[in-house]
Amino acid sequence: MPTAAQLETLYRVGYQLTYIMLQPIHLICVDNRTRNVYVLAGYYEEIEFQILPNGEFANEPS
């Protein structure tokens, strides 16, 4: 179950993706190991990110 902070961030980002950027969201799930919310979006599934339990975005190494 996502935390309140994760849900707040997810709502904000979901709004930006769908109504402002007009990008589809394909998948939203919680990683049971890390408790991060994983989001996969974009027409070609090229947008992906994770939301930490505190509502911040996870930094991914390049």
Side-chain angles (χ1 to χ4, degrees), residues 3 5-6 9 51-57:
T3 65
Q6 285 172 318
T9 300
I51 304 170
L52 300 170
N54 65 2
E56 299 293 323
F57 292 103

Side-chain angles (χ1 to χ4, degrees), residues 2-50:
T3 65
Q6 285 172 318
L7 291 174
E8 185 177 320
T9 300
L10 180 61
Y11 179 83
R12 188 180 75 247
V13 171
Y15 178 84
Q16 291 173 345
L17 282 170
T18 57
Y19 288 105
I20 295 174
M21 299 172 62
L22 302 175
Q23 296 292 318
I25 297 173
H26 297 280
L27 176 72
I28 299 171
C29 64
V30 177
D31 184 337
N32 289 328
R33 298 169 297 139
T34 61
R35 306 306 302 162
N36 293 349
V37 172
Y38 176 79
V39 179
L40 180 63
Y43 285 103
Y44 303 105
E45 299 177 359
E46 71 277 11
I47 303 169
E48 58 181 292
F49 56 91
Q50 294 184 49

